[in-house]
């Protein structure tokens, strides 16, 4: 895949090559290839069942790789699994914290897992930022959905990874949380982290993404900038272009 203009100096930190993933006879992702550069936000779009979560879970290493290759910051996920995962953070759409660990302990756990040395100040700052400071002693089992989402985002930030995967990161957040998460995504990219942002919220993707990858039935049907997408399809809103590109492909009831 050609590197976007003007970003040639930035290293590619996520490379997905010919990824294919099936569940039994059902092929969820079909020979998908793409790459993301440091500091870039890639918007991952597609109708229900297009293969977005399967792609993210494969990159995160929670789904065993069947076919294809994934490289995170130069480390091959199959051959150097621990090193690759150390450079990557994944925020699932419905994060499940440890029930018996407190919010503060989750950050300590993440810091030790990722080898983050001086994490206390940063951890406190993140809890403030995501309005969890007053819940630092709350157990994972006591958190609301939005709080679980915020904690998962804070953990991802603390790890300071090369690549962050965000699956519907704003689902469940209140308006202040949405503002905080949007700002945090921008800050992350500005400090050089590559972000893959999967969402059905087209306004979010439009505002945040440098480049788009549109999936339909497990295959890439578009990869490029929003301007390129609009130029290819005529001046239209992202919503109109999305609907045209993925016409009739949703598995939603
Ligand atoms: P959504 O927007 O609804 O979250 P998605 O783009 O994330 O959808 P996936 O969850 O990756 O799509 O699903 C892709 C395909 O794989 C769908 O046909 C789905 O039914 C199937 N699939 C996903 N997970 C499983 C599973 N655990 N077992 C069997 N099939 C699955």
């Amino acid at each position: 895949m050609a590197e976007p203009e003007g970003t040639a100096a930035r290293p590619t930190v996520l490379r997905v090559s010919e990824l294919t993933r099936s569940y039994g006879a059902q092929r969820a992702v079909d020979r998908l290839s793409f790459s993301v550069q440091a500091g870039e936000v890639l918007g991952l779009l597609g109708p229900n069942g297009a293969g977005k979560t399967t792609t993210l879970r494969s990159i995160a290493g929670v789904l065993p790789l069947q076919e294809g290759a994934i490289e995170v910051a130069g480390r091959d996920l199959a051959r150097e699994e621990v090193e690759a995962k150390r450079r990557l953070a994944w925020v699932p759409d419905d994060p499940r914290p440890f029930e018996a660990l407190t919010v503060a302990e989750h950050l300590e756990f993440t810091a030790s897992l990722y080898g983050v040395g001086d994490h206390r100040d940063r951890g406190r700052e993140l809890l403030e930022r995501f309005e969890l400071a007053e819940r630092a002693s709350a157990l994972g089992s006591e958190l609301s959905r939005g709080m679980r989402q915020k904690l998962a985002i804070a953990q991802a930030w603390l790890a300071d990874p090369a690549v962050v995967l965000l699956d519907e990161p704003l689902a469940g957040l209140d308006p202040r949380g949405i503002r905080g998460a949007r700002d945090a995504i921008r800050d992350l990219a500005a400090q050089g982290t590559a972000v893959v942002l999967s969402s059905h919220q087209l306004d979010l993707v439009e505002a945040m993404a440098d480049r788009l990858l549109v999936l339909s039935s497990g295959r890439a049907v578009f990869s490029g900038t929003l301007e390129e997408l609009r130029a290819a399809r005529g001046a239209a809103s992202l919503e109109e272009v999305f609907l045209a590109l993925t016409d009739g492909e949703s598995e939603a009831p």
Side-chain angles (χ1 to χ4, degrees), residues 23 26 28 46-54 200 251:
Y23 300 100
Q26 159 93 33
N48 293 131
K52 304 177 300 295
T53 297
T54 301
H200 292 299
E251 289 190 2

Side-chain angles (χ1 to χ4, degrees), residues 63-76:
L63 274 180
L65 209 55
Q66 290 176 336
E67 287 177 53
I70 293 168
E71 224 179 68
V72 181
R75 308 290 177 141
D76 183 86

Side-chain angles (χ1 to χ4, degrees), residues 21-24 26-29 45-57 63 93 167-168 198-200 215 218 250-252:
R21 222 295 160 183
S22 303
Y23 300 100
Q26 159 93 33
R27 185 167 280 204
V29 176
L45 298 175
N48 293 131
K52 304 177 300 295
T53 297
T54 301
T55 300
L56 295 186
R57 289 168 66 90
L63 274 180
D93 56 350
D167 199 349
E168 288 293 356
S198 174
S199 181
H200 292 299
L215 299 188
S250 176
E251 289 190 2

